[in-house]
Amino acid sequence: MCHDWHTYIYFVLKITYMLKWEEFERMEMRVGTILEVKEFPKAHNPSYQLTIDFGPFGIRQSSAQITKLYTKLDLVGRQVIAVTNFPPKQIANFMSECLVLGTVGDDKTVTLLQPERKTENGLRIA
């Protein structure tokens, strides 16, 4: 029984903030296709500048620290998932208009989240 209690406490302490359902519903995560990839030498960490097509929601730019696993050629035409309703964020001399999502390993390597199969650009993630 003591072991279960410690596991529970550990789990509770690992959670930094519990979202309310309404907060999750306000977040817009959408599918987009990467159209263009550029080097981003002015970024503090190795990054690319991405141009992403979100279909009816337009074309947006994002900075992504994904250079460890992906080359520019790997990325063009790839579909990704991004949060599209954050305010724009200035990163060095570049304005990032969405947040591309991925898993982050212990060594800070980012593996992109993407649809299991090709879907229509702009579809919302639920």
Side-chain angles (χ1 to χ4, degrees):
M1 189 66 142
C2 182
H3 174 70
D4 292 344
W5 177 250
H6 288 294
T7 302
Y8 174 76
I9 293 296
Y10 175 77
F11 176 75
V12 169
L13 292 175
K14 292 287 285 185
I15 297 173
T16 56
Y17 176 73
M18 294 290 285
L19 286 177
K20 294 183 178 83
W21 185 255
E22 298 77 28
E23 292 173 304
F24 174 73
E25 287 180 321
R26 287 197 310 260
M27 189 181 320
E28 289 193 19
M29 293 178 283
R30 297 193 179 275
V31 175
T33 299
I34 298 173
L35 301 176
E36 184 180 23
V37 182
K38 295 179 183 174
E39 298 288 337
F40 192 6
K42 292 190 178 187
H44 181 69
N45 295 310
S47 302
Y48 291 129
Q49 294 175 345
L50 308 177
T51 301
I52 306 169
D53 180 3
F54 290 99
F57 299 93
I59 294 174
R60 302 204 184 166
Q61 295 188 35
S62 184
S63 169
Q65 297 176 17
I66 55 176
T67 59
K68 286 184 182 178
L69 291 183
Y70 305 97
T71 67
K72 293 188 297 185
L73 290 176
D74 289 335
L75 293 168
V76 174
R78 182 183 296 259
Q79 286 195 306
V80 293
I81 297 169
V83 177
T84 58
N85 65 334
F86 282 147
K89 182 176 181 178
Q90 180 92 35
I91 301 172
N93 62 337
F94 181 78
M95 191 62 71
S96 189
E97 301 169 314
C98 61
L99 176 66
V100 175
L101 299 177
T103 62
V104 181
D106 290 338
D107 64 350
K108 306 232 190 274
T109 298
V110 176
T111 302
L112 291 170
L113 294 184
Q114 57 190 11
E116 181 262 334
R117 64 189 70 187
K118 188 165 176 58
T119 63
E120 185 179 324
N121 287 334
L123 287 181
R124 189 166 183 176
I125 305 302

